[in-house]
Amino acid sequence: MLGKLSRSLIIGSLMTLAACGTARVIHRDQVGGVIELQGDRGKAMEQASQEMSAHCGPNNFTIVQEGEEAIGTDTFSREDQATDAKTSKNGRRSASDSTTTAQQSTRTATAWRVHYQCGGAAVGAGGPPPPPPGDGPPPPPPPPR
């Protein structure tokens, strides 16, 4: 009896925690990462901030992108069958009809994701963004003819 009660309390607690909001690390490397938020976005963002701080150091990260992203597709299929039987008033003849209706729909599955960079991390994979035109050395002269 006590074991059953303990198990019920544990399951109930886990369900309550899951309903609050969670952050799941999708990708992490030396310059940043991606975290998926599930459930209550405010609570999940608190956990995501803890994950980013643990990875990059306290207050040493920048969120560079946040929003709903396509992560795949979901397909839903349904089939309904209806049968109708009729018998004549005198009971000598009977007929039956069967109708099958099928439906299928596909949608884009989405998730809320946060992309972040650790402090001092370069923007993009190739380093810092190029300087605006006119802020660099002049181009080399054309080759002689």
Side-chain angles (χ1 to χ4, degrees):
M1 175 79 176
L2 185 58
K4 213 177 213 184
L5 180 61
S6 297
R7 199 172 324 150
S8 296
L9 286 173
I10 291 171
I11 290 172
S13 297
L14 289 174
M15 290 175 61
T16 302
L17 287 174
C20 291
T22 59
R24 183 171 66 104
V25 175
I26 301 299
H27 168 79
R28 188 183 324 208
D29 60 25
Q30 66 273 15
V31 295
V34 179
I35 297 177
E36 184 174 299
L37 306 183
Q38 299 168 339
D40 182 294
R41 200 170 298 145
K43 295 287 184 183
M45 193 60 191
E46 288 176 18
Q47 186 180 351
S49 292
Q50 292 172 355
E51 291 283 348
M52 292 182 283
S53 289
H55 179 217
C56 303
N59 299 316
N60 193 33
F61 60 87
T62 302
I63 295 174
V64 294
Q65 180 182 337
E66 179 180 358
E68 201 168 44
E69 294 182 12
I71 59 170
T73 57
D74 290 333
T75 301
F76 174 76
S77 299
R78 177 180 173 168
E79 188 172 290
D80 293 322
Q81 185 170 4
T83 303
D84 184 27
K86 293 182 181 179
T87 304
S88 64
K89 287 183 183 179
N90 63 12
R92 292 186 185 177
R93 291 180 291 180
S94 64
S96 64
D97 287 328
S98 181
T99 305
T100 302
T101 305
Q103 295 175 321
Q104 182 174 357
S105 63
T106 301
R107 72 171 185 94
T108 301
T110 59
W112 194 271
R113 291 189 171 174
V114 175
H115 296 249
Y116 68 97
Q117 291 180 338
C118 293
V123 177
D135 279 0
R145 291 187 182 208

